[in-house]
């Protein structure tokens, strides 16, 4: 009954279907816990669309980039704390109680956000939701793993990952559905309370994890649950396996220590684990610094950078990236055991770097070819509406739409042709209404561009490159690279590195676009991706098909890429 990620294959999925058909109770356990993954995906994805309308309702949010970044990233900050607390709660109070608490946090956070009257309430709601996300990310797969038959565990645990990407896709659909409903973003954020309530009710009628019960010496309760999961003739074998696993775990704890600090110190002092952590942390940090969550959290905003001013259009086009992420997850499940983890990540990184470089070039070209600012058009709505920076600029005659946006103003495009010279106006709700009242288009985040559709297509290719490799493989590597007794500690350290990197990226993206521009920001992520590729090449071994002992031996010797091993052997041979 060892927890963690188990790799599924085609035969396992077939066996999963047969087993759950005969024993529906197993699927009920997995899907009920898997709602946590759905909530995880929904709450991390929904803010991308809701932010567009939050900016319209709260002018202070629209004016302050750091406030937008904070509203988005506080869920990530909460998730870091939630993951840490969740690990402790899992051991102290059990998996079931942890999931119930995560649901309560999801529900309360959704209500707080939906009823927010000021940005600070949104931030508090996002922190509460983030705590739930962190706990769910730790607990849901663990509960599914420990309450599943060993032969289909990988297939059932993989449904949690699928539900995360599915939840992100659902959030984009919900965002699109509420674009014309009064309250827009309040409904988008509040809807997350419903699945949390459903899961809370379902979990009340489900048992605790048999592994946790056994650790707490509730042996008869553990046996009764296993009897519902396994055929009668397999129950005793599973009880024996459970006993051996728990006793081995307790023996390791007596050597290393039970406290988290003792476990972390023990991990870093062990050369095998330390090399495993080099690999595990590398892939988790690289996963975030390729910029994926700029796309997941700010996708509609990026589409607006590309020249699509309409919120509804931006949300509709963002569905492409979210849908491709779901498809990429399925592709990874099909190919990761055939082609290997290392190869998939390296190929994925080459695709990511190529897409980011081309995206950077497209945004640079779009800024060069932005429509010019018309002096006559800028005075059309009255002198008090014209951008002050444009009035005082010595080079005002050379201004274009991008110059206007850099001055914290907005561009009111020509009503008949967006690519013709337009007006540079003060970014204000009333002036925006005047612009739109004349059937013109209001641009605040990007400029009219003939390159826009190509940028959206490149975002799609970026997701296709990312999802099957860097999207899923880092989690698989971290489930395999550590010796058994350090697997929880190593995976936890790498997960914290992932969330912290996520926080850095999500908290700085909009500021970077202001300082470097869209082109410079994507080029910067391309540079980070190149560094990640080099680190993966030198530090991350292939773990496909290797037993735990083989991985330990590989790390004991110190990993080197094959190309460098060959060069060394030739040199030694000639001497």
């Amino acid at each position: 009954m060892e927890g963690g990620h188990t790799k599924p294959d085609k035969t396992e999925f077939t066996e999963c279907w047969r087993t759950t058909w005969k024993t529906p109770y197993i699927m009920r356990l997995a899907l009920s816990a898997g709602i946590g993954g759905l909530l995880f995906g929904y709450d991390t994805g929904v803010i991308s669309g809701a932010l567009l309308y939050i900016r319209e309702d709260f002018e202070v949010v629209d004016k302050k980039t750091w406030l937008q970044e904070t509203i988005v990233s506080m869920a990530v900050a909460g998730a870091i704390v939630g993951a840490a607390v969740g690990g402790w709660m899992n051991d102290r109070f059990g998996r079931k109680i942890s999931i119930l608490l995560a649901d309560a946090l999801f529900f309360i956070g959704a209500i707080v956000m939906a009823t927010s009257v000021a940005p600070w309430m949104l931030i508090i709601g996002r922190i509460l939701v983030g705590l739930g996300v962190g706990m769910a990310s730790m607990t849901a797969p663990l509960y599914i793993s420990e309450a599943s038959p060993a032969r289909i565990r990988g297939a059932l645990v993989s449904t949690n990952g699928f539900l995360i990407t599915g939840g992100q896709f659902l959030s984009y659909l919900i965002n699109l559905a509420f674009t014309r409903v009064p309250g827009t973003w309040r409904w988008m954020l509040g809807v997350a309370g419903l699945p949390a309530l459903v899961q809370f009710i379902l979990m009340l009628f489900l048992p605790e994890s048999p592994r946790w019960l056994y650790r707490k010496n509730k042996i008869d309760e553990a046996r009764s649950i296993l009897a519902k999961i396994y055929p009668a003739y397999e129950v005793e074998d599973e009880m024996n396996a459970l006993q051996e696993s728990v006793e081995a775990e307790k023996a390791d704890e007596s050597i290393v220590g039970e406290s988290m600090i003792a476990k972390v110190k023990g991990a870093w002092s062990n050369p095998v684990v330390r090399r495993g952590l080099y690999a595990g942390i590398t892939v988790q940090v690289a996963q975030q610094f390729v910029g994926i969550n700029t796309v997941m959290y700010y996708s509609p905003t990026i589409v607006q950078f590309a020249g699509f001013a309409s919120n509804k259009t931006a949300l509709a086009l963002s569905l492409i990236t979210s849908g491709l992420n779901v498809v990429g997850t399925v592709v990874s499940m099909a190919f990761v055991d055939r082609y290997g983890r290392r190869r998939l990540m390296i190929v994925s990184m080459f695709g990511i770097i190529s897409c980011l470089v081309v995206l950077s070039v497209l945004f640079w070209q779009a800024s060069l070819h932005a429509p010019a600012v018309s002096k006559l058009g800028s005075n059309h709505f009255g002198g008090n509406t014209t951008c002050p920076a444009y009035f005082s600029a010595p080079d005002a005659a050379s201004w274009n739409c991008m110059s206007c946006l850099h001055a914290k103003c907005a561009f009111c495009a020509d009503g008949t042709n967006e690519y013709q010279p337009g007006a540079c106006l003060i970014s204000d709700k009333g002036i925006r209404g005047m612009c739109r009242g004349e059937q013109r288009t209001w641009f605040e985040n990007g400029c009219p561009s003939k390159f826009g559709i190509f940028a959206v297509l490149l975002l799609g290719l970026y997701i296709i490159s990312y999802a099957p490799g860097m999207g899923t493989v880092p989690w698989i590597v971290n489930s395999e690279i550590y010796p058994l007794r350090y697997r929880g500690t190593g995976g936890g350290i790498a997960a914290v590195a992932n969330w912290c990197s996520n926080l850095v990226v999500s908290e700085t993206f909009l500021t970077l676009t202001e300082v470097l521009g869209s082109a410079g920001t994507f080029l910067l992520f391309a540079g980070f991706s190149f560094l990640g590729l080099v680190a993966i090449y030198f530090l991350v071994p292939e773990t496909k098909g290797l037993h735990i002992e083989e991985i330990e031996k590989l790390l004991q010797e110190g990993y080197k890429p094959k190309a460098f091993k060959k060069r060394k052997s030739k040199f030694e041979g000639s001497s």
Side-chain angles (χ1 to χ4, degrees):
M1 296 294 297
E2 198 55 46
H5 183 97
T6 306
K7 307 175 291 298
D9 56 26
K10 292 181 180 178
T11 57
E12 190 169 353
F13 279 111
T14 303
E15 182 64 23
C16 178
W17 174 256
R18 290 174 181 168
T19 303
T20 53
W21 182 260
K22 292 178 181 177
T23 315
Y25 183 75
I26 297 170
M27 185 56 72
R28 181 184 161 197
L29 288 174
L31 290 181
S32 297
I35 295 174
L38 186 76
L39 284 164
F40 179 172
Y42 186 89
D43 280 304
T44 53
V46 70
I47 195 63
S48 62
L51 186 63
L52 303 180
Y53 296 93
I54 291 170
R55 290 205 314 248
E56 291 187 357
D57 278 8
F58 296 115
E59 194 167 351
V60 65
V61 177
D62 192 37
K63 299 292 184 186
K64 296 181 178 179
T65 299
W66 68 266
L67 197 51
Q68 296 174 39
E69 292 170 330
T70 301
I71 290 171
V72 170
S73 61
M74 279 304 97
V76 181
I80 295 171
V81 177
V85 173
W88 171 77
M89 281 202 64
N90 279 331
D91 290 339
R92 183 70 181 273
F93 302 107
R95 290 42 163 156
K96 180 178 176 177
I97 295 295
S98 298
I99 292 175
L100 289 172
L101 180 58
D103 287 330
L105 290 167
F106 277 127
F107 186 79
I108 296 169
I111 299 301
V112 170
M113 289 187 294
T115 57
S116 294
V117 295
W120 64 266
M121 281 187 70
L122 277 168
I123 291 170
I124 289 175
R126 291 289 289 168
I127 291 172
L128 290 172
V129 162
L131 290 169
V133 165
M135 293 182 67
S137 69
M138 287 284 296
T139 311
L142 187 64
Y143 180 87
I144 295 170
S145 175
E146 294 180 350
S148 305
R151 61 184 176 276
I152 62 169
R153 185 174 301 138
L156 287 176
V157 172
S158 67
T159 61
N160 186 66
F162 179 75
L163 285 169
I164 292 173
T165 54
Q168 289 174 333
F169 182 71
L170 177 64
S171 72
Y172 281 71
L173 285 175
I174 295 293
N175 282 347
L176 193 59
F178 285 115
T179 52
R180 297 195 181 278
V181 175
T184 53
W185 61 269
R186 297 183 185 278
W187 287 103
M188 295 172 183
L189 298 174
V191 161
L194 291 178
L197 184 61
V198 169
Q199 186 181 42
F200 187 90
I201 294 170
L202 289 174
M203 289 302 299
L204 288 175
F205 299 98
L206 290 178
E208 180 53 81
S209 154
R211 181 184 181 84
W212 185 84
L213 290 171
Y214 198 100
R215 268 193 70 96
K216 299 299 179 181
N217 294 317
K218 298 181 180 180
I219 298 172
D220 291 337
E221 289 182 47
R223 180 180 280 106
S224 67
I225 295 166
L226 290 176
K228 296 179 181 179
I229 297 172
Y230 289 91
Y233 62 87
E234 292 184 17
V235 172
E236 284 306 315
D237 289 340
E238 287 302 317
M239 285 294 293
N240 292 334
L242 191 57
Q243 180 183 359
E244 290 178 11
S245 177
V246 170
E247 287 178 355
E249 188 177 280
K250 288 181 177 179
D252 287 331
E253 287 176 354
S254 66
I255 298 171
V256 177
E258 291 189 34
S259 72
M260 181 55 67
I261 295 175
K263 289 179 179 179
V264 171
K265 284 183 178 178
W268 278 109
S269 62
N270 185 311
V272 172
V273 183
R274 189 167 61 249
R275 290 183 184 123
L277 283 167
Y278 291 156
I281 293 173
T282 290
V283 294
Q284 293 287 34
V285 173
Q287 185 193 61
Q288 294 303 315
F289 274 91
V290 301
I292 181 57
N293 280 318
T294 63
V295 178
M296 288 294 103
Y297 299 159
Y298 298 104
S299 184
T301 303
I302 294 172
V303 171
Q304 289 188 334
F305 288 162
F308 297 92
S310 164
N311 287 348
K312 188 173 182 180
T313 302
L315 286 170
L317 290 174
S318 298
L319 272 173
I320 296 171
T321 59
S322 184
L324 288 172
N325 197 26
V326 178
V327 173
T329 303
V330 176
V331 171
S332 177
M333 289 159 61
F335 290 104
V336 70
D337 282 326
R338 181 180 300 178
Y339 295 109
R341 293 89 170 98
R342 178 181 162 85
R343 183 184 297 179
L344 271 183
M345 284 192 292
I346 288 174
V347 171
S348 179
M349 287 297 257
F350 273 113
I352 287 168
I353 293 168
S354 301
C355 289
L356 288 172
V357 169
V358 177
L359 264 175
S360 178
V361 172
L362 280 175
F363 279 111
W364 176 59
Q365 286 295 315
S367 66
L368 291 179
H369 295 87
V373 172
S374 163
K375 185 175 182 180
L376 182 63
S378 297
N379 293 326
H380 172 73
F381 295 97
N384 292 333
T385 63
T386 306
C387 177
Y390 175 67
F391 256 141
S392 59
D395 60 341
S398 65
W399 271 42
N400 64 13
C401 169
M402 199 60 68
S403 312
C404 183
L405 299 191
H406 286 160
K408 303 291 186 181
C409 294
F411 185 79
C412 182
D414 183 83
T416 56
N417 186 345
E418 291 182 351
Y419 307 112
Q420 293 296 319
C424 185
L425 307 176
I426 295 172
S427 180
D428 176 83
K429 188 181 293 187
I431 299 173
R432 180 177 64 208
M434 292 167 62
C435 172
R436 290 176 176 172
E438 293 194 3
Q439 306 303 311
R440 300 187 180 195
T441 307
W442 180 262
F443 289 87
E444 281 185 296
N445 295 309
C447 293
S449 172
K450 295 178 181 178
F451 300 98
I453 190 62
F454 298 107
V456 174
L457 291 174
L458 256 296
L459 279 176
L461 284 174
Y462 168 85
I463 292 293
I464 291 173
S465 300
Y466 168 85
M470 291 306 297
T472 54
V473 176
W475 298 102
I476 297 174
V477 168
N478 273 281
S479 73
E480 300 172 330
I481 198 82
Y482 311 109
L484 199 58
R485 64 184 178 278
Y486 288 106
R487 187 161 291 175
T489 305
I493 293 171
V496 169
N498 181 285
W499 282 113
C500 290
S501 303
N502 187 334
L503 179 62
V504 170
V505 171
S506 60
E507 183 65 39
T508 59
F509 175 66
L510 294 179
T511 301
L512 285 172
T513 59
E514 286 188 351
V515 175
L516 303 176
S518 303
T521 301
F522 283 110
L523 192 62
L524 179 65
F525 283 126
F528 286 142
S529 300
F530 176 75
L531 293 176
L533 173 62
V534 172
I536 288 170
Y537 181 78
F538 283 102
L539 296 175
V540 184
E542 179 57 72
T543 56
K544 174 189 127 179
L546 296 180
H547 294 296
I548 293 170
E549 296 80 8
E550 293 173 313
I551 295 173
E552 282 194 47
K553 185 178 179 182
L554 181 66
L555 294 174
Q556 186 75 52
E557 296 171 354
Y559 175 73
K560 284 187 179 180
K562 286 184 179 179
F564 285 80
K565 285 183 178 180
K566 287 179 181 177
R567 288 179 186 177
K568 184 178 179 181
S569 62
K570 286 179 182 178
F571 177 79
E572 289 174 350
S574 61
S575 61

